[in-house]
Each structure stands twice: as C-alpha cells, then as structure tokens.
Amino acid sequence: MRVALLCEVDQAVYHVGDEAIGIASAAQLRQRGHEVVMISRQEKYGPGGQPHAESIPALTFPWPLDERDRYLAEIRKVLSGNHVALPAKDKLFKIMNQLRGVDALVIGGGSLNSNFGWLVYERLATALVASFLDIPVVLSGQSLGPFLLLSDRAALKELLELCQLVGVRDADSYRLATQLCPEHPAIFQTLDDAVLLDADWDHPKANRISVTLGDNAEPFTEHDYVSIMAALIDGLAQRTGAEVEFVPHMADPDRPRSDVRIHKLVAAQMSHQATLLPIEQAVDATTRLATSRWALTTRFHPVVFGLLSGTPVLPITLGRYARSRVDGALANWGRSNASVPFAALWDPATGALRADVADAVLDALVAGADAELNAELAVRAERLDAASRWWDQVVAVLDEASGPADGSDAIDASDPADTHREAATPDSVAPLSGPAMLDQIDRFTGAVAAAIAPFRYAPAAGTDRTVALIMRTQNRPGFLDRAVQDVLEQAWADWQLVVVNDAGDTDQVSSVLDRYRSELGDRLTVVNNPVSHGMEAASNIGLANSHSELVNIHDDDDSWQPRFLLETIAHLRAHPDEEAVATRTTIVHEQQVGPDWVLYDRIAAWPKLRAMHLLDFVKLNRIVPICLVYRRALHDQIGPYDEDYPVIGDYVFHLRLLQAGQMGFIDHPLANWHLRPLQTDAGATGNSMYTHSSDHAEYDLRLRDRALKEWTDKNGLGLPMFISKELERETHHLEQKIQEVVDALGTQQQLIADLQVQLRATDHAVRAGGGFNFAKRQYQVARGYLSRAAGRITGRL
C-alpha cells in the first residue's frame, strides 16, 4: 500500500518536534510493509538535509479568516465538478493528481487550534480531496484546541468526521474530539507520535542542563521573559554544578532567528557560562537532551523526549495552550502537577523572578530527580508498546478500508486485545490503545504546589475565590463562547465566573458552557433569569451569587489580555489605599466573518489619560467595565448597582466609586473594548452606544439633572445660574474669534498668490545663474509676504 503522510515537515523554519513526528510516523508505516509518500512544505530540509525522492506539496491556506473561508469554498467547488473555480496553476490540481496514486492518507501528529488556524483548514481540505478520491483517512497524534473560533470548531468537526480513525495525544483533546463527534466509532487517546523516534534514549548522561526556549514570550514581554529564564537557569546550574547547553528546536538553518535568537539573549544575561548550539537535525537534537542530566524548556517536545530518556525536565508554560499540551504529555507518563506556569515565577510589580517560588521549585526538582528517572524508565517499555499498538490499529484500519487481497494477516481492529475505547461521553477519558492510563504522581506538593495553584487552570476547590467575574449575557452564544475562553486564557486562575443569563435562551447558554465544564469545574456559577431585569440588575444578581475579595464585570462581548487579572490583582494588593484599579484600554473595531467576529482596527481609548480623577469623569465616562477590578467591600459604602439606569449604569457606578475613594491606573493596555460600528440595528450583536444612542443621551441628561437638583436643594440656584451665563458668554466670544480667523484666512489668498510668484522667480533666477545675492533679496521679499499674512491672522486671535 502507498500511504501519503501529511506532517508539518520541510518548512523554512526547521522544527525538531514536527520533523521527529514525520520521521517516526513514516518509519512505523514502513516497518509494517507500506510505502510512504510525504506531503511536504518543500521549502527547506533542515541543516544538511535533502529533499525526499518523492513528495506531494502541502496545501497552503492564508491566515485571514475570510480568505481561508473563500479558498476552502473554492476547493469545495472544484471537488463538486467546477474546475474553473480555481486557476489552473493552483497547487490543488497537482495535489489531486498525485493523491490519485496513493491508497491512503495519514495526517500525522501536531496541533489543531485557532492559534494556528490555517492548519485546521489545510488538513480539512486535504481530507476532503482524499474523500473525493475514495481514499481512507486516519488522523494520528493530534492535540486539539483548547482555543477554537467557532469557524475552526466547525472545520475540525468536519475533519474528524472524515477520518476512519482518530488518535489524540492528551486527555483535553480526547474530551474535545468526543464532544465534537459523540457518535464517532473510533476516537482514541494515544501518545505523541514522536515517542517512536529511533534515537539512543539510554545514552550515558553528562552533568549538563539542556535548555530549549521558544522565542514567543506572549503574553509576557520579551524583556521579562529573558530575565526570568536567565535567572531560573542560573539557579538550576548553581544547585547542580551542571554545564548549560542551549539546544534550539525551532530555527531557520540560514538565519539566526527563533530559538537561536532568544537563546543568545538569555545566555547574555546569565552569570554562568553557556554553550549556544545551532539548529540540528531532529535525531541529533533529541540525543543531546537524552544525554543531559537535566532539561529546562518552554517547548513541548523536549518534555516528550525527557520522559523517554528519564531526564528530569522542568517545563515552563506561558499560557493555556502550552499547559494543555505539556500537562497532557506528562499525564500520559504518570506525572501530574509537574509543570510551572511562567506567571507563578513573575513579579508583576518589578518584572523580576519571584525568588521564593523559584527556589522552592528548583529544590523540589533536584530532590526528586533520581526518583523521577527511575519511575519514567520503569514504564518506558509499556509506553512504547502502547505507541506501537496504535500504529497496528492504524494499519489495520487502512488495510480494511482498502480491501486487502489476503485478510489473514490483517489485525482485527474490533478485537478488544487490539483496541479499546470507553463510551464517548464528554466527561470520559479513553485509555491509551492497549494498557490503561497510569496512576498519577505529583511532582510538586505541599507549599510548592500551593504557591503554584492560583496560576494553574484547575486550582484547588473552594467557595471563596480571589475575584468574581460577572458575565452578563442574553442570546449571544457566539460572544459568550469567546468570553468564556477569554477567562480561561487568564494567567491568574483563582476566580469564580458567574454567568447571568438575563432571560435569554437557556439551551444556548448551556450548550456553550458545556464545552468548557471540564476546565471551569467548580469555578462556574450560572443564573438564569426567567424575566429580563436589565444590565445593572444582572450585575447585582451576579454579586449576590458570588464570594470573593474582588469583582469585575466581564460583558460577553469584551476581552482581556491574558495578564489582566494577574496585574490588576497584584496592583490592588500592593495599594491597599485604593478601592479599585483600571487599566489602559484598546478599542477594537470588529466585523462578522461567518460565525466569528474579526477585528479590523485598533484604537487607544483616551490615550492622554495618565490617572483616574473624578474631575475627568464629571464631563463623561472614561472607562468601561471590562478594564476595572474593584474591592467587593466598596458596595458596603456606595450600595449596589443603580437599577434605575437601563444604560450608562457603569458611568453611574464609576462616579460613585470615585466619590468614595481612589481608583488606581495601570498605564498599559490590558483590556479590549469591542465595538461594532457597522452593526447599527437593534439586534443582539449591536453595541448599545450605537443601537440605543438616544437612550444614552437621555439618561445622561437625567443623571446630570438629578445631581444638579441634589446640589441646588442644599445650595440654591445662584452658582449654577452664574456658571451657565458665563459659559454662554465665553462660548459666544469664542465663536466670534473663530469667525474672524476664518474671515482673515479668506483675505490672504492674494498674498499667498504673490508669494508663489516670488518663489518661482527665485527658483528661475538661481537656475539661470542669478547668484546668491539675488536669491537672498527674493527670499526677503517672500518672507515679508509671509510675515504680513501671519500678522493679520494672529491679530484676530
């Protein structure tokens, strides 16, 4: 059988993990008697690498969502018989012709999520072509999500449905796959495909730290990332006396970028000497880690290779995406609570390493190293056997789908000895194909685990959280999906989310929240109002159903940077005299593309503001709820949200807050205020400031009128009437001055024309050789014209 193998290989930027997946997967298919044709990027082949003797070009999808949708629609048209839907030179036609010469398609391991959304579309389109050609498709060793746009979720669901067999490499991905396709007969949890790479995992170990750092510091600044990683590596080197070796896993062989670049920056800040290596072929890079006594990384595959070789690896995770993949790999080998969120090591106030947490983590790592090595080596044979059995299943499915001439040698994929899967319910986790999942052993326990817990996505259960997030929603499931994922992306995880459904469709809300219940756990509270009470009443209901020190109103259509809670909470703890803190906000203009909303412009909101003063707010509201975190005790002073205001209720609250106490300010953008100015109808997706602009104006007047009456009841009408008259006189005077300037500008047209004549004369004289003195005289004349014109204008001001 000829099998086309689609992996993310032969890219311009060489990726050790992706290449290891491709090498190992191809070897497993060849060992079972099949010929492999790689589907390749055909860009570069790594340091010293060579092109394949035969390969099929990979489809290339654009990044913008609307362009992705368009290209996929055009591919569908071609497959439906409209061959002119794409230009004849489009690579799709070459790919189709070459796929006609294979018997099956295997889509190898990788990550399918909206961080790299074009990959979901590329793999779906390739599977659609295979299905059109009646070629069986298997998906192997994938991580799914956790972040997915609605369009990517739909595309991923269709891809899974096209596959006869699906293998995902972590528990989170299994939950998502069975949630998307609960009736699929063959979804399994497997191991990462690279575990079967033919490398020397038993090579003697040198007292060396193998360091691999990705060059993307998001959501943190590169400056903080570099300084903290340098200090952490120094700390491990000091404890172990080990040499430090930087081993890049992702870099262009011809340009010192990606891992190579960041490694150089980190090494320059370290007190210990370090060896900086260039990018190497996958087997060489993995062997370096296997021969090291220690490893520290922010990438995924060094964790996989460390588990294989028994090298204790300290994984530092930067966000939800990394946590899901890394913790999933560790769990597959019986290790839990073994990664460290970068946020737990970072002090928001100084940007420096939190020495107490780092010391505790490193001490625990060193103390448990021998036990970890022995535990990992003890299960390695069984893990490799489980990975091998997965490929037996892959080949069995392909053989059955292609109808082997002699079925006597085929493996029966329905035999419980060869394959096993639990019921595909959203809360179940299937065991690996073969042996059951291993019992979990915590790396970090006690005080170390407690220090890390608030930064992990599943902190310890409890009723009182640091901050309550009140999310008001009504019949906007798309926005609600995005908002819940936004909360889950936060680097600070000790929160309670209260979703107040203000008389919206309860089934819609449940459908969205069910997607994330395994992550939300006991941090979620849902309140369904049978009758709509309005936004401010919804906020009060959220307050009544939450228990926390701090509060934020997270409307379902707004979003944060992942550091928002981390920094605002740290600020309030460092400033006990402040009742609240606001962050700089970015206005995001967005428009709808399919089921998703895509930004098309970003604008800084009130860029000149440097602090939160009541004087600034008296004129108009300067912030929106998404950017504000405040102390719950504030309500004891000023009462609940004012339900008399169906709009501008946040403005009312901000004024009362500033009257009662101080509001701090974090002077960099951490919150996003999403606006849809093109959506001017009164539908569910519009912003009230556009769709109910008259209500905003009316209630703003009512607010000011009420405040004025309260003042005049105590002080009389004298001062307001005096101020009103003075404003009228000043406005009239200003209008007169503006008109005089406009009139003065109109009379200067002749002066400007004369000036242009003088300038042309000067230019002509210089070109004709009239000399410097003539040019100087002409310049003086022109300057006189300008002086008189300016004098006439400024004299009017």
Side-chain angles (χ1 to χ4, degrees):
M1 182 186 296
R2 279 168 57 86
V3 180
L5 177 60
L6 171 57
C7 295
E8 198 67 11
V9 298
D10 305 330
Q11 305 170 85
V13 176
Y14 188 81
H15 194 295
V16 167
D18 287 344
E19 296 289 340
I21 288 171
I23 294 168
S25 301
Q28 291 304 306
L29 290 167
R30 292 186 181 114
Q31 288 173 17
R32 289 161 177 78
H34 297 301
E35 181 182 352
V36 176
V37 182
M38 294 299 298
I39 299 180
S40 160
R41 288 287 177 196
Q42 300 181 344
E43 295 169 345
K44 290 185 180 180
Y45 303 92
Q50 298 295 322
H52 304 282
E54 179 186 7
S55 68
I56 300 171
L59 279 167
T60 305
F61 267 74
W63 166 244
L65 186 58
D66 54 346
E67 295 181 28
R68 273 191 266 156
D69 287 340
R70 174 190 51 76
Y71 188 37
L72 182 61
E74 291 167 345
I75 290 174
R76 292 185 194 276
K77 289 178 182 178
V78 170
L79 298 179
S80 297
N82 181 4
H83 291 176
V84 297
L86 284 171
K89 63 180 180 180
D90 191 277
K91 66 165 61 175
L92 173 71
F93 297 106
K94 181 178 180 180
I95 293 169
M96 290 179 67
N97 287 333
Q98 289 188 264
L99 284 176
R100 286 188 174 95
V102 303
D103 303 297
L105 169 66
V106 173
I107 301 176
S111 297
L112 299 176
N113 55 74
S114 292
N115 301 71
F116 313 101
W118 64 92
L119 292 178
V120 179
Y121 278 64
E122 288 178 17
R123 278 144 178 72
L124 170 58
T126 307
L128 286 169
V129 172
S131 179
F132 171 77
L133 298 174
D134 201 23
I135 295 171
V137 183
V138 168
L139 191 70
S140 178
Q142 298 290 328
S143 290
L144 310 181
F147 174 64
L148 285 171
L149 297 172
L150 295 178
S151 53
D152 292 335
R153 178 180 290 273
L156 179 56
K157 180 179 186 296
E158 185 177 5
L159 171 60
L160 297 178
E161 290 171 342
L162 290 170
C163 297
Q164 278 80 1
L165 178 65
V166 173
V168 291
R169 62 188 178 185
D170 58 73
D172 288 347
S173 298
Y174 180 81
R175 291 188 188 96
L176 179 53
T178 54
Q179 184 186 87
L180 289 171
C181 299
E183 303 302 323
H184 198 295
I187 297 176
F188 297 89
Q189 187 180 332
T190 67
L191 292 167
D192 181 73
D193 289 339
V195 300
L196 294 174
L197 183 70
D198 186 12
D200 185 1
W201 304 116
D202 293 315
H203 198 283
K205 296 186 184 299
N207 191 26
R208 181 175 61 238
I209 304 170
S210 177
V211 178
T212 301
L213 305 177
D215 73 330
N216 186 356
E218 292 293 333
F220 303 92
T221 69
E222 184 174 283
H223 175 272
D224 291 345
Y225 176 59
V226 167
S227 64
I228 285 179
M229 297 314 300
L232 193 65
I233 297 165
D234 272 335
L236 184 56
Q238 182 178 358
R239 283 166 172 77
T240 60
E243 299 177 353
V244 179
E245 184 176 75
F246 284 89
V247 183
H249 270 222
M250 189 171 181
D252 186 331
D254 303 318
R255 299 181 180 183
R257 297 181 180 176
S258 298
D259 294 6
V260 172
R261 182 189 69 85
I262 208 72
H263 286 174
K264 184 177 180 180
L265 294 176
V266 173
Q269 289 204 22
M270 288 172 50
S271 59
H272 288 77
Q273 292 294 316
T275 301
L276 293 167
L277 296 176
I279 190 74
E280 296 177 308
Q281 288 284 338
V283 173
D284 296 328
T286 56
T287 301
R288 286 191 181 277
L289 187 147
T291 60
S292 298
R293 182 67 181 87
W294 312 92
L296 189 151
T297 187
T298 60
R299 288 205 176 276
F300 171 73
H301 271 102
V303 177
V304 174
F305 300 141
L307 291 164
L308 274 167
S309 63
T311 299
V313 182
L314 180 60
I316 308 300
T317 59
L318 292 166
R320 180 185 175 214
Y321 167 66
R323 285 196 306 266
S324 177
R325 297 194 309 154
V326 167
D327 287 356
L330 290 163
N332 286 342
W333 287 71
R335 315 306 298 180
S336 60
N337 201 19
S339 66
V340 178
F342 183 90
L345 302 168
W346 177 65
D347 183 347
T350 64
L353 182 73
R354 291 181 58 192
D356 56 336
V357 177
D359 288 344
V361 164
L362 293 175
D363 288 344
L365 175 72
V366 173
D370 290 338
E372 285 192 21
L373 186 149
N374 294 331
E376 287 158 9
L377 295 184
V379 301
R380 183 170 66 186
E382 186 272 329
R383 297 290 87 180
L384 293 178
D385 178 66
S388 180
R389 285 166 60 83
W390 163 251
W391 285 100
D392 291 340
Q393 292 176 243
V394 171
V395 170
V397 169
L398 296 181
D399 287 345
E400 181 179 356
S402 60
D406 180 5
S408 59
D409 293 331
I411 297 174
D412 182 2
S414 64
D415 188 340
D418 293 302
T419 181
H420 177 67
R421 179 188 176 206
E422 290 182 354
T425 60
D427 294 327
S428 68
V429 179
L432 297 167
S433 56
M437 289 287 288
L438 301 175
D439 292 334
Q440 300 295 295
I441 301 173
D442 285 339
R443 166 184 276 175
F444 301 121
T445 58
V448 185
I452 296 173
F455 307 92
R456 298 186 65 84
Y457 63 85
T463 55
D464 290 344
R465 299 288 181 177
T466 303
V467 57
L469 313 176
I470 298 170
M471 187 172 290
R472 310 174 296 196
T473 190
Q474 186 188 66
N475 294 330
R476 307 203 296 188
F479 287 147
L480 180 60
D481 185 285
R482 181 176 71 181
V484 172
Q485 293 201 72
D486 182 57
V487 170
L488 290 170
E489 295 285 339
Q490 285 298 297
W492 179 267
D494 189 28
W495 40 256
Q496 179 187 5
L497 174 62
V498 184
V499 176
V500 181
N501 175 25
D502 194 30
D505 188 316
T506 57
D507 289 341
Q508 282 186 350
V509 171
S510 295
S511 177
V512 171
L513 296 178
D514 285 347
R515 297 169 191 163
Y516 308 106
R517 287 191 186 275
S518 62
E519 284 186 84
L520 292 166
D522 71 333
R523 296 178 294 174
L524 173 66
T525 301
V526 183
V527 181
N528 291 301
N529 289 342
V531 177
S532 176
H533 298 292
M535 290 189 293
E536 306 318 309
S539 297
N540 289 330
I541 290 170
L543 286 170
N545 285 273
S546 61
H547 305 273
S548 63
E549 171 195 355
L550 308 173
V551 177
N552 165 268
I553 305 297
H554 187 312
D555 282 331
D556 62 2
D557 61 338
D558 291 329
S559 67
W560 290 322
Q561 296 298 315
R563 303 196 323 267
F564 175 84
L565 288 180
L566 192 63
E567 293 202 42
T568 52
I569 291 169
H571 179 96
L572 287 174
R573 287 179 172 172
H575 298 83
D577 57 319
E578 295 177 355
E579 301 297 331
V581 61
T583 76
R584 192 165 291 288
T585 303
T586 301
I587 297 173
V588 175
H589 285 163
E590 58 186 6
Q591 59 189 355
Q592 194 161 16
V593 176
D596 297 301
W597 289 86
V598 179
L599 72 90
Y600 63 88
D601 196 14
R602 289 180 177 272
I603 305 168
W606 303 109
K608 294 183 179 180
L609 281 182
R610 291 293 179 268
M612 298 287 103
H613 298 302
L614 178 59
L615 184 63
D616 292 318
F617 280 72
V618 168
K619 183 177 181 181
L620 73 167
N621 198 6
R622 305 286 178 161
I623 60 173
V624 285
I626 191 65
C627 79
L628 182 71
V629 174
Y630 64 91
R631 303 185 195 278
R632 179 183 290 268
L634 180 67
H635 287 291
D636 295 335
Q637 300 179 53
I638 66 175
Y641 287 91
D642 193 334
E643 299 179 13
D644 291 337
Y645 290 86
V647 294
I648 75 160
D650 56 325
Y651 184 27
V652 176
F653 177 72
H654 299 155
L655 288 171
R656 291 161 59 198
L657 190 164
L658 286 164
Q659 286 179 289
Q662 297 183 55
M663 184 191 301
F665 184 56
I666 297 176
D667 195 7
H668 51 265
L670 292 173
N672 302 309
W673 181 21
H674 292 247
L675 296 180
R676 295 165 292 282
L678 304 179
Q679 196 79 10
T680 56
D681 59 56
T685 58
N687 298 107
S688 67
M689 63 179 294
Y690 298 122
T691 61
H692 296 83
S693 58
S694 59
D695 289 342
H696 275 257
E698 171 61 25
Y699 279 94
D700 184 80
L701 287 175
R702 291 188 188 185
L703 172 65
R704 296 177 190 282
D705 194 52
R706 186 174 75 176
L708 181 61
K709 287 179 179 178
E710 290 174 355
W711 196 91
T712 57
D713 285 345
K714 296 179 180 179
N715 302 282
L717 287 170
L719 183 59
M721 294 184 70
F722 171 77
I723 292 174
S724 176
K725 193 62 178 179
E726 283 298 302
L727 284 175
E728 179 185 353
R729 290 174 57 190
E730 287 296 323
T731 301
H732 178 69
H733 179 67
L734 182 59
E735 289 174 348
Q736 286 182 319
K737 288 291 185 183
I738 292 172
Q739 187 59 50
E740 290 174 3
V741 170
V742 171
D743 294 341
L745 287 172
T747 64
Q748 307 314 310
Q749 292 181 357
Q750 185 58 47
L751 285 174
I752 293 171
D754 292 343
L755 174 60
Q756 291 173 336
V757 170
Q758 291 296 328
L759 290 174
R760 284 195 294 269
T762 301
D763 179 67
H764 177 75
V766 172
R767 291 178 183 274
F772 172 77
N773 288 333
F774 178 80
K776 182 178 179 181
R777 288 194 301 273
Q778 293 299 102
Y779 166 75
Q780 290 172 338
V781 172
R783 183 176 178 182
Y785 279 114
L786 280 176
S787 179
R788 290 195 298 276
R792 293 179 186 180
I793 294 173
T794 56
R796 300 286 185 177
L797 297 178

